[in-house]
Amino acid sequence: MIRLFRLVHLPFWRRMPLQAILPILGIAVGVAAIVAIDLGSGSTVSSFRHTMQKLDGNATDQVFPSTEPLRGQLAYELARVDGVTAAAPVLETMVLAGGEPLRVYGVDPFAESGVRQLGLTDLGSEDLDTNTLFTRFLSEPGALVVSAPFARRQNLAPGDRLTVAVGAQLREAFILATLPERVGDVDVPDNLALCDVATAQELTGRDDVSRIDLVLEESDRGTTLNELQRLVPSGNSLQKPGGRTAHLSGMLRALRTNLEALSYLALFVSLFLIYNAMVLAVLRRRAQIGLVRCLGATQRSVLGAWLIEAGIMGAVGTALGLALGLFGSRFALTGIAQTASDLYGYVQAEAVTLVPRTFLKASLVGIIASLATAFLPALEAARTTPAHTASRGEVEAKAQRQSLRAWRLAIPFALLAAVCLLIPSTQATLGYVAAIAIAFAVALVTPALGALLLERIRGPLAASFGVVAGMAAENIRGSLSRTGVAMAALTVALSMSIAMGTMVSSFRQEMLNWIADVVRADVYVSAATAEIDRLNARIDESIVDELSGRANVVAVDTYRGQMARVGNVDTYVGGVHIDTYRSRARVNMVKGPSADLFLDRIQAGQAGISETLMRKSGLSPGDTFVMQAEGQPVSLEVAGVYRDYSSDRGVILLDRSTFERVLGSRPPNGVALYLAEGVNVRDEVDAIKRDTAGRYALEISSNRDLRDNAIVVFDRTFRIARSLEIIGIGVAAIGILAALLAMLMERRKEMAILRAMGLTPRQLYAMLAAESALLAMVAWIFAVLAGSGLAWVLLRVINLRSFGWSLPYHIPLDGWIANLGLSLLAAALATIIPILRSRGLPVAVALREE
């Protein structure tokens, strides 16, 4: 079979290289999408994990605050326990410095030995020795030792002053020294600032610490842990390291799953190209196949030679895709990290982590999928009888019969989709299976439906646009063996794009409606660090009092947020002034009483829960649940379920009095200002900025600014998804190009005859363009139908199970029309090469051959 491949197959690809390049490009794009998304999303978590591991150092256990602040003095008590090698207090916070997030780590250098090495012992310079620097580090207020890359980006040198925003406060610090970029085998994070614990407490205005890192001996770990549990106060908790990474990984799971599903779409569409290329190759070389069978080639050797051809195309395409995916993974990493930061707080993207498993998975998927897709055409070639040289008409008649039989194959896929949608489940996996089954069913029935539609519109096309348009419709219908697969590929790609676009549009419209109901204040004020450290970015009550006293402010509402846990679900707890909320905002109820009664119950001490939390926890109105907030169990009753899109982790809504009763009094995270009637909002925003400049670090936005920013974040979140949609359509366009080229090569004699009978070059070009446009339009018509169904699956099944949001169905006519325009553009670009090829059509030579 290898000899047969070398003697027969290779010469064909040398003569027709474009026929091999197109499916190879399709596979490459599909594999690249898988690699880029897998590496990008995995590296986002990996970068965060590596940063945390560097900062956690050798810690085997950690003590965190729960219901009570964590005393730094506890570290020195724990250090005296037998089996404890080190106990180091840490005060960690995120600040803004020069507009850039900076992670400030307050440590006790004397307790750090054995925990982590970040270069504090290597700070000596020509001007100051290590001892002097170390003394200044401990004694001088505001002394920071920063990462060298951060200092270079901010153009800072030792001795320079630095103003940092800590929550809503501005603090003064100075650069004592810069950290080495690498300590031993550890890369120092490039946005890190180290300081003494006392300095960190001065900067943050706190008198506690964030955690205590412990290093325990393994020899008698059980006894040591028992003693530590006895000493750790009930208001604090002893945990293993890695919880923050696991938390981020869980938060990104749904986002990563959806992006991976879209990346597999590109490969799914590209498989049509492999199948189409093999089908066309078998059709074009049927006489050659018959000849080699006459010369003694066995069915097994013919089948093997064709599979070798498919395997080589798959391998080359996969190798190219791995390289493209590695190149694109950096962009995917940046996009996913930005999305994670928008949704969950600051997540730094350091570098792409190369995971061999990802490359192995993509390689196996690319090659195995290529072989599996090519098997049926290869089997068809192997079964060709030695004397068989079927005519073009017989081949097309067979293709027509196969397209009709495909209806029967589509039925099991449709039934599989129905079963997956009917099975009750909280996981999105069955939804994806249903979507794939629908896509397969659509692909199977598209050629037959397309042929039927083209037969119906051929006459009206000829009457309206001339005989050339009618000929184009008949050419596509009569060349179903060549055009059917391309039509199916484009239909699947467009239907997925329409489904995704419909889902995004519905979500966007619903979010706009929700923002209009909830975001009613004129001005919103938050701490400058809210975007990078939301839970800890609070506004002092003195600032709230100052804002409340402004002449143009008639009402003030504040929002307090805190993480909590209900069962095994991490969620937000929000505290608001229900009286102000009732008079200003509009509540959209999902389940439970009327909005007024719902707010009455919350004001009486019950809890409102968002739809997302209801679906994740199984709670309903009237249920009693236990909320673990900072380790403290609190029993609450569900007042009702309301619609909220602020978090995919769910929200518990409490009145401020209830919030303070169960969680204690704390400064708010945000302030909403309602202005007197007739006051210009923009002027008031500018006035507040002027009055607070240089005194506070605040983010001040008008109602309109906040809404616009929410839309920017929303669109940025779905930017990668949009890119993957375009990739899928691009792959399908390659399929159209392959089909048109095959039709052109097969119809050289036919076109020569038409030219001899008076068809002008311009009419020939118009016919090719019409064929391409008809392919795109027919595919778009079926894609709108199929995509509408897939959009329902995305909205009512996958999205609901992934994020917990039930979204109404909005029909985005403008998006569907734009999708048609995009498909026509792809088809037009795919027509360029066939038109250029047709210019050199040798009419006289073709007629002599005939």
Side-chain angles (χ1 to χ4, degrees):
M1 64 181 70
I2 295 177
R3 187 163 180 264
L4 181 63
F5 170 77
R6 181 171 54 83
L7 295 176
V8 177
H9 292 254
L10 278 182
F12 174 81
W13 292 121
R14 291 193 189 102
R15 294 195 308 272
M16 306 289 181
L18 198 59
Q19 300 293 322
I21 290 174
L22 292 177
I24 285 173
L25 284 177
I27 288 292
V29 172
V31 170
I34 292 174
V35 172
I37 294 301
D38 210 35
L39 289 181
S41 56
S43 296
T44 300
V45 177
S46 180
S47 292
F48 186 81
R49 180 188 297 113
H50 290 164
T51 299
M52 293 302 102
Q53 287 174 345
K54 295 168 191 173
L55 298 177
D56 289 344
N58 300 320
T60 60
D61 298 86
Q62 295 172 323
V63 181
F64 286 93
S66 52
T67 60
E68 296 179 5
L70 181 60
R71 296 181 298 110
Q73 182 63 30
L74 179 63
Y76 312 117
E77 298 172 13
L78 299 179
R80 292 195 291 267
V81 174
D82 289 339
V84 176
T85 303
V90 176
L91 176 52
E92 179 184 2
T93 189
M94 294 294 297
V95 305
L96 280 175
E100 181 178 346
L102 182 64
R103 190 184 301 274
V104 175
Y105 243 57
V107 298
D108 180 352
F110 298 106
E112 284 291 303
S113 178
V115 180
R116 71 194 113 242
Q117 291 183 347
L118 293 173
L120 275 177
T121 58
D122 304 317
L123 297 181
S125 65
E126 295 180 1
D127 299 325
L128 294 173
D129 58 36
T130 302
N131 290 334
T132 302
L133 279 171
F134 198 68
T135 301
R136 295 183 64 188
F137 179 85
L138 293 171
S139 61
E140 295 192 21
L144 297 180
V145 181
V146 301
S147 304
F150 172 81
R152 286 196 296 268
R153 290 194 299 268
Q154 296 292 331
N155 195 27
L156 295 171
D160 288 349
R161 307 300 298 179
L162 179 65
T163 300
V164 298
V166 185
Q169 297 294 333
L170 293 172
R171 305 293 189 190
E172 289 297 321
F174 73 96
I175 307 302
L176 176 63
T178 57
L179 291 165
E181 297 189 32
R182 189 173 180 83
V183 179
D185 60 349
V186 176
D187 292 325
V188 176
D190 70 351
N191 69 328
L192 177 67
L194 294 182
C195 63
D196 183 58
V197 170
T199 300
Q201 289 175 334
E202 290 174 359
L203 288 174
T204 59
R206 296 168 55 175
D207 57 5
D208 61 336
V209 295
S210 304
R211 70 175 191 272
I212 297 173
D213 291 337
L214 302 172
V215 179
L216 308 186
E217 295 178 357
E218 291 295 330
S219 57
D220 198 11
R221 178 178 170 82
T223 303
T224 304
L225 284 175
N226 289 335
E227 180 64 16
L228 291 175
Q229 292 284 8
R230 187 182 67 82
L231 292 175
V232 172
S234 59
N236 304 146
S237 61
L238 184 63
Q239 303 175 17
K240 294 286 289 182
R244 288 178 291 180
T245 300
H247 188 59
L248 176 66
S249 181
M251 290 189 298
L252 288 177
R253 187 174 296 118
L255 174 65
R256 181 174 181 174
T257 300
N258 284 284
L259 290 177
E260 285 179 342
L262 286 173
S263 66
Y264 278 96
L265 165 64
L267 181 63
F268 177 73
V269 174
S270 68
L271 295 182
F272 286 92
L273 298 182
I274 287 286
Y275 180 81
N276 199 35
M278 297 301 291
V279 167
L280 295 177
V282 170
L283 291 173
R284 294 199 62 197
R285 288 181 272 171
R286 55 188 182 272
Q288 189 182 56
I289 296 170
L291 179 61
V292 298
R293 293 283 282 114
C294 288
L295 294 175
T298 64
Q299 287 188 2
R300 183 176 179 180
S301 62
V302 172
L303 176 63
W306 282 92
L307 289 180
I308 289 174
E309 181 174 315
I312 289 176
M313 285 196 297
V316 174
T318 298
L320 181 59
L322 294 178
L324 290 174
L326 182 59
F327 175 77
S329 61
R330 180 63 200 178
F331 299 97
L333 170 64
T334 303
I336 294 172
Q338 179 64 62
T339 298
S341 297
D342 289 336
L343 297 176
Y344 310 118
Y346 179 68
V347 177
Q348 185 179 14
E350 290 183 350
V352 174
T353 302
L354 301 183
V355 182
R357 184 179 60 185
T358 294
F359 292 98
L360 178 62
K361 178 183 73 174
S363 300
L364 290 176
V365 169
I367 295 173
I368 293 175
S370 301
L371 291 172
T373 307
F375 180 76
L376 287 178
L379 188 63
E380 176 73 17
R383 289 176 175 174
T384 301
T385 57
H388 182 68
T389 54
S391 66
R392 167 80 179 276
E394 291 176 356
V395 172
E396 291 304 330
K398 184 178 179 180
Q400 296 282 352
R401 291 193 298 271
Q402 288 176 340
S403 68
L404 294 175
R405 285 198 296 268
W407 280 93
R408 283 175 284 180
L409 294 176
I411 293 175
F413 285 108
L415 292 176
L416 174 62
V419 170
C420 290
L421 294 176
L422 291 174
I423 294 177
S425 174
T426 59
Q427 301 297 318
T429 304
L430 290 177
Y432 286 114
V433 173
I436 292 172
I438 292 173
F440 269 112
V442 169
L444 287 168
V445 302
T446 292
L449 289 176
L452 184 63
L453 178 60
L454 288 167
E455 186 176 5
R456 293 286 189 274
I457 66 173
R458 179 184 55 185
L461 281 175
S464 301
F465 301 101
V467 66
V468 172
M471 291 172 59
E474 179 57 29
N475 288 339
I476 297 174
R477 193 194 68 81
S479 302
L480 207 59
S481 61
R482 293 148 182 81
T483 59
V485 177
M487 190 187 302
L490 186 57
T491 299
V492 170
L494 289 176
S495 64
M496 289 294 186
S497 178
I498 286 172
M500 180 58 66
T502 302
M503 188 273 287
V504 172
S505 177
S506 297
F507 194 177
R508 196 175 194 270
Q509 184 60 50
E510 185 63 14
M511 193 188 73
L512 287 173
N513 295 339
W514 173 73
I515 290 175
D517 288 340
V518 176
V519 181
R520 294 294 188 90
D522 298 299
V523 180
Y524 289 87
V525 181
S526 60
T529 57
E531 289 300 315
I532 59 174
D533 191 12
R534 293 175 189 171
L535 290 178
N536 297 315
R538 301 186 182 276
I539 299 176
D540 296 344
E541 292 288 357
S542 60
I543 301 176
V544 179
D545 293 339
E546 181 178 330
L547 294 172
S548 303
R550 296 184 67 85
N552 293 326
V553 175
V554 297
V556 173
D557 193 11
T558 57
Y559 176 84
R560 289 160 175 79
Q562 180 62 46
M563 285 300 299
R565 192 170 182 84
V566 177
N568 61 349
V569 179
D570 289 317
T571 187
Y572 281 112
V573 183
V576 299
H577 297 276
I578 289 298
D579 283 335
T580 307
Y581 191 86
R582 183 197 303 271
S583 63
R584 304 289 179 171
R586 183 182 302 160
V587 181
N588 189 347
M589 298 301 298
V590 175
K591 191 175 183 181
S594 65
D596 285 337
L597 183 56
F598 170 72
L599 295 176
D600 286 341
R601 291 178 177 179
I602 293 178
Q603 199 163 17
Q606 295 186 19
I609 65 172
S610 67
E611 179 189 16
T612 302
L613 182 57
M614 176 192 72
R615 299 190 184 281
K616 290 187 175 183
S617 64
L619 293 172
S620 293
D623 290 349
T624 299
F625 66 96
V626 175
M627 176 183 74
Q628 293 282 343
E630 296 185 339
Q632 180 180 4
V634 178
S635 181
L636 293 168
E637 184 178 347
V638 179
V641 182
Y642 72 109
R643 198 174 302 283
D644 181 278
Y645 298 115
S646 62
S647 170
D648 63 349
R649 287 182 281 181
V651 177
I652 298 174
L653 183 65
L654 302 177
D655 182 56
R656 177 180 172 179
S657 60
T658 307
F659 184 94
E660 292 182 345
R661 175 174 57 83
V662 300
L663 295 173
S665 179
R666 63 191 67 202
N669 296 76
V671 182
L673 306 179
Y674 297 88
L675 304 182
E677 188 174 352
V679 175
N680 185 285
V681 176
R682 174 54 58 190
D683 290 344
E684 185 65 20
V685 168
D686 292 340
I688 296 174
K689 288 181 178 179
R690 285 194 306 270
D691 293 344
T692 59
R695 296 191 297 129
Y696 304 120
L698 299 175
E699 184 67 35
I700 304 166
S701 305
S702 67
N703 183 296
R704 186 184 188 90
D705 291 339
L706 195 65
R707 295 187 187 194
D708 291 344
N709 183 64
I711 296 302
V712 169
V713 171
F714 181 90
D715 292 339
R716 191 162 55 204
T717 300
F718 288 96
R719 186 177 298 164
I720 298 178
R722 294 290 195 188
S723 300
L724 291 173
E725 292 176 51
I726 294 174
I727 287 175
I729 295 176
V731 172
I734 296 175
I736 293 179
L737 173 58
L740 292 177
L741 284 174
M743 290 172 62
L744 178 65
M745 299 305 296
E746 285 285 320
R747 293 156 50 204
R748 286 165 58 87
K749 298 175 184 178
E750 174 188 330
M751 291 182 179
I753 293 174
L754 290 173
R755 286 289 313 282
M757 294 176 63
L759 191 72
T760 65
R762 179 171 295 182
Q763 288 176 316
L764 178 61
Y765 306 153
M767 184 177 69
L768 292 173
E771 289 171 356
S772 179
L774 279 173
L775 270 174
M777 293 192 69
V778 170
W780 178 80
I781 292 172
F782 297 141
V784 167
L785 299 174
S788 299
L790 286 171
W792 184 89
V793 174
L794 287 173
L795 287 167
R796 300 301 175 87
V797 181
I798 294 176
N799 183 75
L800 186 63
R801 295 176 183 177
S802 295
F803 301 104
W805 292 319
S806 61
L807 299 170
Y809 197 110
H810 293 280
I811 298 178
L813 290 178
D814 55 342
W816 289 3
I817 294 173
N819 194 277
L820 172 61
L822 190 62
S823 62
L824 288 174
L825 175 63
L829 294 175
T831 312
I832 294 174
I833 295 179
I835 288 177
L836 294 177
R837 287 284 187 91
S838 67
R839 286 184 174 181
L841 182 67
V843 178
V845 173
L847 289 175
R848 282 197 297 271
E849 291 175 355
E850 186 66 24

